[in-house]
Amino acid sequence: MQQSTDPVDVRCHQPVVSMENVSFLYEQRSVIEKLNFQVLQRDFVGLIGSNGAGKTTLLRMIVGLLKPTGGEIRLFGTPLTQFRDWERIGYVPQKNAFNPLFPATVREVVLSGLYGRKKLFRRIGQPDLKKCEDALHAMRIEELADRRIGQLSGGQQQRVFLARALVNNPELLILDEPTVGIDSETQESFFHMIRHMHQRHNITFLMVSHDIEMMHAYLGYEPAHTNGKLKFYVKHTHELENCAETNLVHSLRDLRLGGPEPAAAR
Ligand SMILES: Nc1ncnc2c1ncn2[C@@H]1O[C@H](COP(=O)(O)OP(=O)(O)OP(=O)(O)O)[C@@H](O)[C@H]1O
């Protein structure tokens, strides 16, 4: 959390998200007031707070969907207003739900995660398809690839959104209650997977969760920072990557979620 003074550590202490005096008002009603907080490279930040505390509002500001009414947010050192490298960030919003008539297939939704905001009409090449297959494989939803997203269960749709967020092999994953609607066995595998990604693959996490037990088990019982009703729990890892390769194929190939039966069939 704190900027290290130890030169050995500086390499993995670069700020990924910096919030300086960030405030947000919905129609004169203050939701977040003067928040100062930094997410550093290799942090796993768990954000806990009661309903209405402003968690989703904060994440939406960080990914540029809402503009702070005060203060400044920087992503990888760049002011949000100038930030363009959105492929460095994977975001899974809360309560995704597709209209059953939405025509896109699972593969198309996952592939759309590759295009970013600036490459909407990019041609899809073989490497893109391979990345997509790896992300589908990691989330155990290959067999759903050609199904229409709107026709899947809530838990299956959630897996699709996670695959979409992973497809770019992002440096920062922002997850807003990612396991809501997912069965408990799959939730456990999911947490196992993200812990592995945090410890071995140099991915920084910012995650909202109401799963207090899981958050405490991994991040401890003492919040590193509080602001209003928002509590930030932080775990920083110094574990060296045990692999030279950090590309998506490598990162995801071995991360296939466990479980005795294909969860996608549930
Ligand atoms: N579009 C909006 N217009 C006005 N008020 C809003 C709007 N969206 C959210 N709010 C209010 O802002 C506050 C923070 O909402 P937010 O969704 O960020 O909370 P949260 O911490 O994510 O809650 P939850 O745990 O229920 O998801 C709430 O009081 C909510 O009612």
Side-chain angles (χ1 to χ4, degrees), residues 9 12 18 36 65 84 98 113 137 193 203 216 218 228 235:
D9 290 339
C12 64
S18 311
N36 288 289
L65 295 171
R84 299 288 176 268
F98 262 105
H137 179 72
M193 179 182 79
I203 295 180
H216 285 330
Y218 191 50
K235 184 182 178 77

Side-chain angles (χ1 to χ4, degrees), residues 26-27 29 31 49-58 94-95 176-177 208 210 230:
Y26 277 115
E27 297 147 8
R29 210 169 57 78
V31 176
S50 49
N51 291 133
K55 305 178 296 293
T56 297
T57 302
L58 179 61
Q94 190 184 22
K95 294 186 200 112
D176 195 348
E177 296 191 45
V208 168
H210 285 290
L230 300 175

Side-chain angles (χ1 to χ4, degrees), residues 31-266:
V31 176
I32 294 169
E33 212 176 323
K34 295 214 158 98
L35 169 64
N36 288 289
F37 184 70
Q38 281 200 328
V39 179
L40 303 180
Q41 210 177 14
R42 297 200 134 194
D43 277 351
F44 191 118
V45 176
L47 177 52
I48 296 181
S50 49
N51 291 133
K55 305 178 296 293
T56 297
T57 302
L58 179 61
L59 298 195
R60 286 174 64 80
M61 282 195 283
I62 292 170
V63 297
L65 295 171
L66 288 174
K67 202 168 170 293
T69 39
E72 187 182 55
I73 299 178
R74 289 173 168 261
L75 297 174
F76 299 98
T78 303
L80 193 70
T81 45
Q82 290 158 32
F83 186 76
R84 299 288 176 268
D85 299 331
W86 291 106
E87 60 273 15
R88 297 174 79 179
I89 300 176
Y91 171 51
V92 179
Q94 190 184 22
K95 294 186 200 112
N96 291 290
F98 262 105
N99 181 315
L101 298 177
F102 193 80
T105 65
V106 166
R107 184 177 282 105
E108 286 164 346
V109 170
V110 174
L111 275 169
S112 72
L114 279 171
Y115 312 151
R117 303 182 191 196
K118 58 185 177 189
K119 299 181 203 148
L120 269 181
F121 302 106
R122 192 172 85 163
R123 278 186 58 194
I124 300 167
Q126 274 306 320
D128 291 342
L129 288 171
K130 180 76 179 73
K131 284 183 189 174
C132 176
E133 294 312 314
D134 282 331
L136 291 169
H137 179 72
M139 298 311 299
R140 290 188 88 167
I141 49 172
E142 309 99 305
E143 53 275 56
L144 300 179
D146 297 311
R147 296 265 304 273
R148 287 189 177 197
I149 179 105
Q151 292 170 356
L152 303 182
S153 75
Q156 288 170 329
Q157 288 191 5
Q158 197 60 357
R159 284 160 173 272
V160 176
F161 287 108
L162 289 166
R164 184 180 187 276
L166 289 173
V167 76
N168 271 318
N169 199 20
E171 291 163 66
L172 169 66
L173 262 180
I174 299 179
L175 309 172
D176 195 348
E177 296 191 45
T179 56
V180 167
I182 292 184
D183 60 86
S184 58
E185 187 190 324
T186 310
Q187 271 186 26
E188 218 164 277
S189 308
F190 174 74
F191 288 134
H192 178 81
M193 179 182 79
I194 59 175
R195 278 197 303 270
H196 177 97
M197 291 176 107
H198 176 229
Q199 289 170 348
R200 303 273 187 236
H201 295 285
N202 201 6
I203 295 180
T204 303
F205 283 85
L206 174 55
M207 181 167 100
V208 168
S209 176
H210 285 290
D211 190 339
I212 312 268
E213 247 173 65
M214 188 292 292
M215 295 288 244
H216 285 330
Y218 191 50
L219 307 175
Y221 288 83
E222 277 306 310
H225 186 70
T226 58
N227 175 280
K229 293 178 185 160
L230 300 175
K231 292 184 187 154
F232 298 84
Y233 292 79
V234 181
K235 184 182 178 77
H236 183 85
T237 179
H238 279 168
E239 271 190 71
L240 291 174
E241 286 162 64
N242 59 356
C243 39
E245 270 189 279
T246 55
N247 63 42
L248 179 94
V249 177
H250 175 83
S251 302
L252 296 186
R253 187 171 288 151
D254 301 328
L255 289 179
R256 195 175 154 100
L257 293 169
E261 57 177 304
R266 283 180 200 137

